Amino acid sequence: MKKIITTSNAPAPIGPYNQAVLKGNMLYTSGQIAIDPKTGNLVIDDIKTETKLVMENLKAILTEAGMTFENVLKTSIFISDMHNFSAINEVYAAYFNEATAPARETVEVANLPKFVNVEISVIASL
């Protein structure tokens, strides 16, 4: 049986999906973008601030599921401009222990929801 994970500390879904789904000990999050869960506004002033909010939204979902970034096995990062990779990676790296960091892919895409610059999802396990 799957369990839907929802928290008011991350943006509410704006379509037919959930913030995350827990199946057994595996957690699958939806991609998170830089929407401030308190205001519902996009925060895309600069790429580091945008990435930090994305990571904080993921942290809120992980917390709701009883997990931390140490539980993350895999991340998927979608960015609109590969020139932003270094700045995104700098913020992203602060959330992980390099020795136990998850597997990941980073892909440049033409467009992201609401034309944001970065979207990240994770797969985690208890």
Side-chain angles (χ1 to χ4, degrees), residues 21-23 25-29 62 65 67-75 122-126:
V21 174
L22 183 67
K23 174 76 172 172
N25 66 343
M26 298 296 296
L27 180 74
Y28 304 87
T29 71
L62 288 166
M67 298 185 192
T68 70
F69 282 105
E70 281 297 312
N71 296 97
V72 175
L73 303 173
K74 173 100 186 314
T75 62
V122 304
I123 298 171
S125 176
L126 288 170

Side-chain angles (χ1 to χ4, degrees), residues 15 22 30 37 45 50 61 63-64 71 83 85 103 109 111 119 125:
L22 183 67
S30 292
D45 302 332
E50 185 174 351
I61 294 167
T63 299
E64 186 66 26
N71 296 97
H83 292 100
F85 176 78
V109 296
N111 290 300
E119 179 177 1
S125 176

Side-chain angles (χ1 to χ4, degrees), residues 28 59 90 110 112 117 123:
Y28 304 87
K59 182 179 178 180
E90 182 181 327
L112 288 164
N117 300 297
I123 298 171

Side-chain angles (χ1 to χ4, degrees), residues 49-61:
T49 302
E50 185 174 351
T51 304
K52 182 171 176 48
L53 183 52
V54 169
M55 296 302 289
E56 288 297 314
N57 288 340
L58 287 166
K59 182 179 178 180
I61 294 167

